Amino acid sequence: MRRPKPPKVDSREVDVSSSTVRRIARHLRPHAGLAAAVFALLVAGALLNLLPPVLVKRVVDEAIPRKDLHQLALLSTLMIAGPLAAGFLGVLQKYLSALIGERVTFELRVRLFKHLHRQPLGYFASARPGEPLSRVLNDVEGVGQAVSKTLTAVLKNAVVLVSAAATVIWLDWRLAVVSLCLLPLFVAPTRRVGKKRKALKRLAQERMAELTGILSETLSISGVLLVKTFGAEKLERRRVKRKCRELMRLSLDQTLVGRWFSMLLGLFESVGPALIFLIGGWLVIGGDARLGTLVAFVTLLRRLYGPASELASVHVDLVTSYAYFERVYAVLDLTPAIRNAPDAVKLAEVRGEIEIRNVTFEYRPGVAALEGVSLHIPAGSTLALVGPSGSGKSTLAALLARLWEPTRGAILLDGQDLRRLELKSLRARIGVVTQETYLFHATVAENLRYGRPDATDAEVIAAARAAQIHELIAALPQGYDTLVGERGLRLSGGERQRIAIARALLKDPRILVLDEATSSLDAVNEALVQAALVPLMKGRTTLIIAHRLSTIRNADAIAVLEKGRLRELGSFDELMGKPGLFADLWHQQFRQAA
Ligand code: ADP
């Protein structure tokens, strides 16, 4: 097989900033108690593991020359007991390290999820598909691993290295100097490898996020439907294959970068003992050192060079872990554009009078989706929005729910600017029914209770009755407990909309934003939806994107939008009584219908 060319690696070094490091430290502070326990266990384990070389020295220098079998047996037993005890402590230490890591993961996941939900619609509209998902799953996982594995490894190797170094110095300072002189050889070449590995890891992360995106897009029901109807399976398969192959290559490269490096370090490890035997042997022959010291020394070398080489490669992991923290913090640092003002007012009683005051809105700077729109909707009245597709109707509706904020101008509720109102209390008073009804994979009852979890069964049923959907739900095998979605209930567009209407009725908002379903409904369903809307709109301030004659006729006022501007405003009779855009639209539709 031809080995594919490895992908290009961006090896620009990103500075490790001290503020981020401080932040990571702050993050770990709540776990300081556990971390201290881990440290104590590491120290105890390292000391217990130092026992065998020291015992070896006594075996060679004391027990054997004295032919003391009793001492020999005792020392040998201790040689087993020490590492055994260290092993037990090691298990406990690993558990505690994992505990810290899992706790950090848990907290971050919950915090990220909460934070993502505070982001405005715009964030999700412009994020790559699957990216928020990947942040919550993969990146946080990486952070947890960094804490439970990488940081612990640094600590452990440092403890072992320091304790072993102290012991070799105590054994024989001359040999210690020789062996410690070799240490820099292990540490020097790591920086370069570190950079490369870090870049590879970041690249792998990006590819993974892209793969998650493709998968969540193409494996969702609407994605599958599109793929099937367009026969695009092969195309999608190729896309996934390409990403998977890139990932495979990156992972392989990642392992190789580390491995060649380890091999080199392994070579140094055999140089050490050879040198010590040479110099130490010479000292022993000359009577300047004892044999036991030499043997113990060589046994200890493993505990000197092992941690040193691991510390060198752990440094590599440390730098890559840093990238995970950075990615997570990048999301946590997003300040939601739409958030409560410091002096936000909690809505108490709402009459529901709405004033749209000279509102201009731009999705992209310089391109106005709405321009200088002013409208007044008295409390309890209905305003119908009409206009060609793309004229800004949905945008205006979204502004009312403060899903976006006007670029210029203001929207007032009972005389208060929406931006001064507490978001939660505002959204609690607004019911939104869109054309696309989203239902969660849960029972019908749970979906209905979404806006008011404490509604009684009687209230749920009353709302469903009013929305003309009770009969249908009651006839299901499990009634209100039927699961919506996979392997459960499949609902038609009209049925879904009636459920959405029931859901809004149950929430009982003062203000209603409605996007009337258009052509997707057949005559029966249309009549049912219309009947469901009557109790919903009664007594509420309603902004409705209207498509139907009955809705438009009964509205208190009709606003006609075109290219983001308000063209006409008046009652049905007023607008029909004069030539203009509304009359044109109307006749056009009428002709089409006829
Ligand atoms: P309508 O509901 O009347 O069909 P919209 O309010 O959906 O019209 O759209 C008004 C204009 O804003 C259109 O030109 C549309 O392309 C644009 N638009 C809508 N949503 C977005 C968005 N999220 N980002 C950028 N442009 C958008």
Side-chain angles (χ1 to χ4, degrees):
M1 197 184 87
R2 184 180 63 95
R3 171 141 166 75
K5 243 182 34 206
K8 276 208 199 77
V9 169
D10 172 15
S11 59
R12 268 174 311 166
E13 195 174 5
V14 175
D15 285 334
V16 175
S17 84
S18 59
S19 64
T20 307
V21 172
R22 268 203 301 279
R23 194 169 175 187
I24 294 172
R26 243 196 338 271
H27 214 113
L28 302 181
R29 196 171 301 152
H31 310 283
L34 276 177
V38 168
F39 184 69
L41 286 170
L42 284 174
V43 171
L47 292 181
L48 283 171
N49 272 323
L50 280 176
L51 220 50
V54 177
L55 295 172
V56 162
K57 178 177 157 61
R58 292 189 59 187
V59 165
V60 176
D61 289 348
E62 293 170 24
I64 294 178
R66 285 188 209 147
K67 302 195 171 64
D68 185 343
L69 286 180
H70 183 70
Q71 194 190 12
L72 194 61
L74 181 71
L75 291 174
S76 307
T77 312
L78 280 178
M79 269 183 217
I80 300 172
L84 193 67
F88 276 120
L89 296 185
V91 172
L92 191 58
Q93 172 263 314
K94 285 209 177 68
Y95 174 75
L96 291 185
S97 301
L99 185 63
I100 301 179
E102 292 302 328
R103 284 193 178 162
V104 169
T105 307
F106 169 82
E107 284 155 18
L108 267 183
R109 283 225 166 103
V110 174
R111 224 169 98 191
L112 262 185
F113 185 72
K114 183 173 154 202
H115 193 72
L116 281 170
H117 268 293
R118 285 172 53 210
Q119 298 308 313
L121 273 185
Y123 171 78
F124 299 94
S126 58
R128 263 181 313 187
E131 182 168 313
L133 214 72
S134 165
R135 292 288 165 106
V136 177
L137 292 180
N138 307 340
D139 293 348
V140 174
E141 176 91 32
V143 165
Q145 296 257 324
V147 174
S148 64
K149 299 235 164 75
T150 316
L151 286 180
T152 315
V154 174
L155 213 59
K156 177 179 177 172
N157 287 312
V159 167
V160 173
L161 186 65
V162 169
S163 60
T167 315
V168 291
I169 292 171
W170 169 72
L171 277 174
D172 190 310
W173 68 270
R174 293 160 301 186
L175 292 179
V177 169
V178 174
S179 54
L180 290 177
C181 277
L182 290 173
L183 271 184
L185 283 179
F186 292 85
V187 186
T190 57
R191 263 187 77 80
R192 228 178 63 86
V193 183
K195 265 194 242 172
K196 181 132 187 243
R197 233 208 205 181
K198 180 181 168 188
L200 279 171
K201 186 133 183 171
R202 195 169 333 126
L203 217 58
Q205 275 274 289
E206 275 168 28
R207 293 294 167 276
M208 194 56 167
E210 283 164 21
L211 182 66
T212 315
I214 299 179
L215 290 182
S216 59
E217 256 186 332
T218 50
L219 293 180
S220 71
I221 177 73
S222 11
V224 167
L225 193 68
L226 189 73
V227 170
K228 280 195 192 306
T229 49
F230 277 80
E233 288 91 347
K234 207 165 154 192
L235 188 86
E236 292 300 340
R237 207 158 49 230
R238 224 180 290 147
R239 256 192 343 147
V240 167
K241 224 163 143 182
R242 194 163 55 226
K243 282 282 167 267
C244 288
R245 184 167 292 135
E246 279 178 37
L247 264 173
M248 181 173 85
R249 255 180 257 160
L250 283 172
S251 303
L252 283 176
D253 285 350
Q254 233 172 308
T255 29
L256 274 188
V257 170
R259 290 314 140 228
W260 287 119
F261 182 59
S262 304
M263 204 196 81
L264 210 68
L265 290 175
L267 190 71
F268 287 131
E269 264 180 72
S270 50
V271 172
L275 258 179
I276 295 301
F277 270 124
L278 181 69
I279 301 171
W282 176 66
L283 285 175
V284 172
I285 290 170
D288 284 332
R290 305 191 62 175
L291 182 61
T293 307
L294 179 59
V295 178
F297 206 104
V298 174
T299 326
L300 260 177
L301 274 188
R302 213 170 39 83
R303 294 187 64 76
L304 203 59
Y305 292 150
S309 69
E310 268 182 52
L311 260 188
S313 53
V314 125
H315 155 85
V316 173
D317 291 331
L318 209 58
V319 185
T320 51
S321 303
Y322 180 82
Y324 284 115
F325 274 102
E326 265 187 337
R327 283 166 71 90
V328 169
Y329 286 149
V331 178
L332 286 179
D333 285 345
L334 291 173
T335 343
I338 298 179
R339 59 177 188 278
N340 285 330
D343 55 346
V345 182
K346 213 174 182 145
L347 270 175
E349 278 303 297
V350 178
R351 279 179 298 119
E353 182 198 4
I354 290 166
E355 195 182 337
I356 296 167
R357 197 181 276 172
N358 203 13
V359 163
T360 294
F361 180 75
E362 299 168 351
Y363 285 104
R364 275 160 299 152
V367 189
L370 287 174
E371 209 170 342
V373 174
S374 293
L375 281 167
H376 179 241
I377 317 174
S381 74
T382 299
L383 177 84
L385 277 180
V386 297
S389 155
S391 56
K393 303 184 294 291
S394 311
T395 304
L396 191 60
L399 284 176
L400 204 61
R402 208 180 157 202
L403 294 173
W404 303 93
E405 279 178 351
T407 312
R408 281 184 293 282
I411 298 181
L412 287 77
L413 171 60
D414 291 351
Q416 293 257 38
D417 193 320
L418 287 192
R419 280 171 290 210
R420 290 214 47 230
L421 299 179
E422 198 210 32
L423 264 174
K424 204 171 142 201
S425 66
L426 168 70
R427 301 248 168 91
R429 304 298 152 72
I430 294 194
V432 179
V433 179
T434 53
Q435 289 201 30
E436 271 292 311
T437 301
Y438 193 81
L439 298 176
F440 284 99
H441 179 58
T443 65
V444 175
E446 283 164 334
N447 267 293
L448 287 173
R449 281 204 178 93
Y450 201 62
R452 223 180 93 204
D454 59 348
T456 63
D457 286 349
E459 286 169 324
V460 170
I461 292 173
R465 263 190 215 288
Q468 313 284 325
I469 192 77
H470 171 69
E471 315 280 301
L472 183 115
I473 300 171
L476 293 168
Q478 273 128 28
Y480 281 83
D481 294 326
T482 310
L483 271 181
V484 178
E486 305 159 55
R487 282 191 277 157
L489 181 59
R490 295 242 51 103
L491 294 159
S492 76
E495 289 157 359
R496 294 172 83 87
Q497 212 178 28
R498 267 140 59 207
I499 289 202
I501 291 172
R503 187 160 67 181
L505 264 172
L506 207 54
K507 187 178 173 186
D508 193 22
R510 278 300 303 145
I511 300 150
L512 201 61
V513 175
L514 272 176
D515 196 345
E516 206 179 37
T518 44
S519 47
S520 64
L521 301 186
D522 57 71
V524 177
N525 258 309
E526 183 179 329
L528 285 169
V529 169
Q530 286 298 311
L533 283 178
V534 175
L536 183 60
M537 291 163 67
K538 207 163 100 191
R540 300 179 218 273
T541 310
T542 307
L543 180 81
I544 181 166
I545 300 176
H547 304 282
R548 284 197 196 79
L549 178 61
S550 53
T551 318
I552 299 171
R553 270 232 156 104
N554 297 334
D556 298 299
I558 300 165
V560 187
L561 288 178
E562 191 196 32
K563 292 188 182 138
R565 285 175 181 278
L566 180 64
R567 288 293 178 202
E568 289 165 29
L569 180 67
S571 69
F572 181 78
D573 292 333
E574 280 165 10
L575 292 181
M576 286 300 282
K578 60 178 185 188
L581 189 62
F582 183 74
D584 289 348
L585 275 171
W586 188 257
H587 290 306
Q588 205 179 328
Q589 257 183 26
F590 192 72
R591 260 201 304 278
Q592 265 169 13

